Amino acid sequence: MSFFLMLQWVTPESDEADILALLIDEFENRNYPIAAPNPIEAIKIRISEMKLKQTDLVDAMAGKSRVSEI
């Protein structure tokens, strides 16, 4: 994409939208922080969402015993 085409997208409204997005993001990060999930719980949730079985994970997790630990 050429530089001149990109300049057409820069408008006072787009600048205002960018500033508002940054302010909203900062506000949410300060007032509603999201803690990192427990890795094992995150894996269990994803397994449930994708309707996977233990046998589906054997190749990805380096064997049956590792899958069983989770």
Side-chain angles (χ1 to χ4, degrees):
M1 181 172 299
S2 76
F3 177 72
F4 295 109
L5 284 176
M6 289 174 38
L7 283 180
Q8 291 176 353
W9 293 344
V10 178
T11 65
E13 291 84 7
S14 69
D15 289 343
E16 183 178 359
D18 290 342
I19 291 169
L20 286 172
L22 290 171
L23 290 171
I24 290 168
D25 185 53
E26 182 64 27
F27 175 82
E28 288 178 343
N29 289 337
R30 284 186 185 181
N31 295 291
Y32 303 101
I34 299 174
N38 174 316
I40 300 298
E41 289 304 315
I43 292 170
K44 288 179 180 179
I45 290 169
R46 191 69 174 145
I47 289 169
S48 173
E49 288 175 348
M50 296 180 71
K51 296 179 176 46
L52 297 174
K53 298 176 188 156
Q54 282 187 335
T55 55
D56 297 326
L57 301 175
V58 171
D59 292 334
M61 304 284 288
K64 256 185 188 177
S65 62
R66 177 67 75 185
V67 173
S68 294
E69 288 176 22
I70 296 173

